[in-house]
């Protein structure tokens, strides 16, 4: 008997990427997983072929209006909705259903931080979907509710986590992330038109205003004796997808590049989706395109006394949908890497 899957918000960028990965999953090919419902709002009634022609296997399927009653019969529900819309649906779905939320509704533990950055009532906190964070893999394997991380926090957390956990740095980090326009979602908005973005770079939500700032701080503080302060600057670039993150922090006394590299080598050795590049080689977004990989480079700036870590991820794969599928695999007891590409599309 196959597991029944629903994707709510199926025609958005996150939803369509979840579908792409599901269609490449061995469980779908073997008939163990059935894509039973594709739900949406403004696109209801249109077909996948019209909206997402890159998914020919289900081109004749129609997007249905979101129906909470229909979701109750599903084994797995992916929520790819704007922030603030997941809680009501999740509460109506039975506890035995695996619900994987790609929005921010259940990521933060501090309700005051939720209210400050998102507004409204905090819905609660679910197991957090970065399996590479020590302790999280076991929690994800034992849950039926998953909060998928934000794309910026994924790149930043994976960049700095080994250093924070090993005590290589002071808990004061500076992060700049350059992102493609798909991170803003699939909506018509003037700032994201091609004529507004091509040939231009723009910082936005600076000086602690970006909603992902408290999420990054929460993740890193989990492995630090003292709370980690985060100065985060996102930059919009004329790319369809991809995030390049540059993260730095003051090094602790006695830390040199050999020590830092040894820590990162040890941390990455057992993680299938982390790839530490050889010394002198830098991550590039084009080298992770369409993959669930995070490429890393680590250096020590001795003159400045700072650790420098650079990461590259695909914001729609490792940063969103890939994390969702990775967490699904863990929660179902399947091979964690199943259906998740490690090789990127190049050039």
């Amino acid at each position: 008997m196959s597991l029944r899957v629903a994707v709510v918000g199926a025609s958005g960028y996150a939803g369509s990427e979840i579908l792409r990965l599901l269609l490449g999953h061995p469980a779908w090919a073997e008939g163990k997983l059935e894509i039973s419902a594709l739900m949406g709002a403004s696109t209801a009634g249109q077909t996948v072929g019209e909206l997402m022609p890159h998914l020919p296997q289900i081109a004749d399927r129609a997007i249905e209006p979101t129906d909470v009653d229909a979701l109750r019969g599903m084994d797995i529900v992916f929520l790819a909705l704007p922030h603030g819309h997941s809680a009501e649906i999740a509460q109506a779905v039975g506890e035995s259903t695996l619900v994987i939320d790609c929005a921010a509704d259940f990521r933060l533990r501090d309700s005051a931080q939720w209210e400050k950055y998102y507004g409204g009532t905090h819905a609660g906190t679910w197991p957090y979907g970065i399996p590479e964070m020590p302790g999280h893999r076991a929690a994800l394997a034992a849950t039926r509710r998953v909060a998928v991380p934000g794309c910026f926090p994924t790149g930043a957390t994976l960049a700095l986590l080994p250093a924070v956990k090993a005590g290589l740095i002071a808990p004061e980090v500076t992060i700049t992330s350059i992102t493609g326009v798909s991170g803003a979602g699939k909506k018509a908005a003037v700032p994201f038109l091609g004529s507004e973005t091509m040939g231009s770079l723009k910082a936005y939500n600076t000086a602690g205003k970006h909603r992902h700032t408290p999420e990054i701080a929460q993740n890193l503080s989990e492995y630090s004796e003292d709370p980690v302060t985060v100065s985060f600057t996102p930059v919009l670039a004329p790319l369809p997808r991809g995030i390049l993150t540059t993260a730095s922090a003051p090094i602790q006394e006695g830390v040199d590049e050999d020590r830092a590299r040894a820590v990162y080598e040890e941390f990455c050795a057992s993680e299938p989706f982390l790839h530490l590049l050889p010394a002198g080689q830098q991550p590039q977004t084009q080298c992770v395109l369409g993959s669930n990989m995070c490429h890393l480079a680590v250096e020590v700036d001795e003159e400045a006394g700072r650790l420098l870590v650079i990461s590259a991820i695909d914001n729609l794969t490792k940063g969103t949908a890939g994390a969702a599928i990775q967490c699904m695999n863990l929660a179902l007891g399947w091979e964690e890497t199943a259906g998740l590409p490690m090789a990127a599309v190049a050039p």
Side-chain angles (χ1 to χ4, degrees):
M1 184 175 177
S2 60
L3 297 176
R4 302 185 70 208
V5 180
V7 180
V8 185
S11 60
Y13 287 139
S16 65
E17 185 76 348
I18 289 169
L19 289 171
R20 180 180 78 88
L21 295 174
L22 288 174
L23 292 168
H25 199 288
W28 184 81
E30 295 165 7
K32 297 177 182 178
L33 185 152
E34 173 191 333
I35 301 173
S36 298
L38 308 177
M39 297 184 180
S42 62
T43 58
Q46 296 179 263
T47 67
V48 170
E50 292 175 287
L51 298 166
M52 298 168 281
H54 64 294
L55 304 176
Q57 302 100 310
I58 53 172
D60 60 343
R61 295 281 300 277
I63 305 297
E64 308 163 22
T66 300
D67 182 351
V68 175
D69 289 335
L71 293 176
R72 292 192 179 98
M74 299 295 164
D75 298 293
I76 307 164
V77 174
F78 291 96
L79 301 177
L81 298 168
H83 306 311
H85 292 76
S86 301
E88 183 178 354
I89 294 175
Q91 289 167 0
V93 176
E95 293 182 3
S96 63
T97 300
L98 174 58
V99 182
I100 301 175
D101 182 26
C102 294
D105 294 37
F106 299 97
R107 294 175 191 162
L108 296 179
R109 292 191 291 267
D110 187 335
S111 59
Q113 291 282 56
W114 167 267
E115 292 168 6
K116 175 182 176 181
Y117 283 90
Y118 294 94
T121 303
H122 184 224
T125 306
W126 289 355
Y128 185 76
I130 296 184
E132 292 83 1
M133 293 173 66
H136 284 237
R137 195 169 263 116
L140 292 165
T143 190
R144 281 296 177 266
R145 296 290 188 269
V146 175
V148 175
C151 52
F152 285 130
T154 297
T157 300
L158 294 177
L160 287 167
L161 174 57
V164 172
K165 186 173 183 295
L168 300 182
I169 56 176
E172 307 161 5
V173 302
T174 300
I175 300 164
T176 300
S177 293
I178 302 171
T179 182
V181 294
S182 61
K186 192 175 183 180
K187 59 181 179 290
V190 170
F192 305 112
L193 294 174
S195 56
E196 301 291 330
T197 58
M198 287 189 296
S200 181
L201 296 171
K202 181 180 71 173
Y204 65 100
N205 288 340
T206 54
K209 299 183 188 71
H210 197 281
R211 290 171 166 180
H212 286 173
T213 303
E215 189 178 336
I216 298 169
Q218 173 180 282
N219 293 353
L220 297 177
S221 295
E222 190 172 327
Y223 305 95
S224 174
E225 292 183 2
D226 300 308
V228 177
T229 61
V230 174
S231 176
F232 174 54
T233 303
V235 178
L236 185 67
L239 308 168
R241 53 203 288 172
I243 295 176
L244 186 74
T245 293
T246 300
S248 72
I251 55 173
Q252 300 287 18
E253 186 175 353
V255 174
D256 59 15
E257 190 158 316
D258 288 342
R259 167 68 176 145
R261 187 161 187 86
V263 164
Y264 275 76
E265 286 175 347
E266 181 180 0
F267 191 92
C268 294
S270 60
E271 294 295 343
F273 297 117
L274 300 185
H275 177 47
L276 180 63
L277 296 173
Q281 187 174 345
Q282 289 292 340
Q284 302 177 65
T285 55
Q286 68 175 354
C287 296
V288 295
L289 185 66
S291 83
N292 200 53
M293 297 298 297
C294 174
H295 287 191
L296 295 163
V298 59
E299 301 175 72
V300 168
D301 184 338
E302 294 183 358
E303 290 293 325
R306 297 184 72 87
L307 183 80
L308 174 67
V309 190
I310 298 175
S311 70
I313 63 169
D314 185 321
N315 59 295
L316 294 180
T317 315
K318 183 57 175 167
T320 309
I325 300 298
Q326 191 176 347
C327 292
M328 177 193 77
N329 289 339
L330 286 167
L332 295 176
W334 292 349
E335 182 68 34
E336 184 176 339
T337 58
L340 292 169
M342 296 183 184
V345 177

